[in-house]
């Protein structure tokens, strides 16, 4: 299977804005109503992550990808993933904190949230899709085929916006 990533996270977490940044598209995101397949990215509506009735759609779509990005909005005090969500999805996990540029961003809170969602040892990328920060790390991680390569990448980068959970 070609390496491909599915982005999941709350409504308004920044999945589509990040998708555009990852694809190098200079357009504003509009509300996502359905699954959108790009060359190597699958963008999902926030409702899929927020409403358990849609978990089956996430699970089915996960079969078509190699990686899953779990997005946590740095400005949000709400965790919407159920505990251990990534353990039910056997695809390479990448934690992503979005909107790190925002004055109300709380990185520590977001990391604590992601710790309860993403398996231990997974990479976490601190991003700002608007400033293009962290985008290249996600592009690189999605090219990798196992956890140990992702871990080695994080360790070699020595970037304080790229860590292991
Ligand atoms: N400050 C800041 N705002 C962002 C960033 N990324 C997204 N936003 C804003 O967050 C809002 C929601 O972004 P979207 O990309 O549409 O969010 P989404 O997760 O795709 O939302 P749904 O499609 O409804 O699930 C928009 O107003 C974006 O401009 C970022 O990196 N920094
Ligand atoms: Mg969207």
């Amino acid at each position: 299977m070609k390496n491909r990533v599915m982005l999941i996270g709350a409504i308004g977490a920044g999945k589509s804005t990040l998708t555009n940044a990852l694809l190098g598209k200079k357009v504003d995101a509009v509300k996502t109503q359905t699954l959108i397949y790009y060359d190597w990215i699958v963008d999902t509506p926030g409702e899929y992550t927020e409403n358990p009735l849609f978990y089956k759609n996430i699970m089915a779509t996960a079969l078509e990808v190699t990686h899953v990005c779990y997005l946590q909005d740095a400005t949000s005090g709400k965790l919407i993933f159920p505990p251990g969500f990534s353990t039910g999805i056997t695809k390479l996990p990448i934690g992503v904190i979005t909107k790190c540029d925002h004055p109300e961003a709380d990185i520590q809170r977001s990391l604590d949230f992601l710790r309860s969602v993403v398996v231990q040892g997974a990479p976490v990328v601190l991003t700002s899709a608007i400033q293009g920060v962290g985008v290249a790390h996600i592009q690189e991680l999605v090219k990798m085929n196992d956890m140990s390569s992702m871990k080695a990448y994080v360790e070699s980068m020595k970037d304080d916006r790229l860590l292991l959970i």
Side-chain angles (χ1 to χ4, degrees):
M1 190 194 325
K2 173 185 155 76
N3 284 19
R4 191 184 245 179
V5 63
M6 172 172 70
L7 270 53
I8 60 176
I11 296 165
K15 298 175 294 299
S16 302
T17 307
L18 183 61
T19 296
N20 289 339
L22 287 165
L23 295 172
K25 294 205 289 180
K26 307 232 173 301
V27 290
D28 284 340
V30 289
K31 165 103 200 109
T32 311
Q33 308 281 7
T34 183
L35 284 173
I36 303 183
Y37 289 80
Y38 298 95
D39 179 29
W40 59 276
I41 303 179
V42 185
D43 187 14
T44 65
E47 285 78 0
Y48 278 32
T49 309
E50 294 210 10
N51 185 340
L53 286 174
F54 288 112
Y55 288 173
K56 60 179 187 301
N57 300 61
I58 290 182
M59 297 307 170
T61 310
L63 299 175
E64 302 171 23
V65 301
T66 50
H67 293 64
V68 177
C69 279
Y70 299 83
L71 273 70
Q72 176 62 44
D73 180 342
T75 69
S76 169
K78 233 174 46 179
L79 167 68
I80 51 106
F81 293 103
F85 197 58
S86 92
T87 57
I89 303 177
T90 57
K91 300 294 172 163
L92 293 172
I94 304 171
V96 175
I97 302 178
T98 59
K99 310 187 191 180
C100 293
D101 61 276
H102 197 285
E104 276 155 40
D106 186 335
I107 309 294
Q108 197 52 52
R109 176 183 66 194
S110 305
L111 268 176
D112 289 342
F113 282 159
L114 281 178
R115 252 183 219 110
S116 73
V117 176
V118 179
V119 293
Q120 212 193 336
V124 175
V125 189
L126 278 51
T127 70
S128 163
I130 284 176
Q131 297 179 341
V133 170
V135 171
H137 288 320
I138 299 175
Q139 289 167 336
E140 287 309 307
L141 289 166
V142 174
K143 292 178 190 160
M144 292 165 194
N145 296 315
D146 50 62
M147 282 287 266
S148 54
S149 307
M150 295 204 298
K151 185 164 181 271
Y153 174 76
V154 173
E155 284 165 351
S156 69
M157 280 294 124
K158 302 194 192 324
D159 179 346
D160 55 13
R161 301 190 210 218
L162 178 66
L163 34 117
L164 296 169
I165 218 158

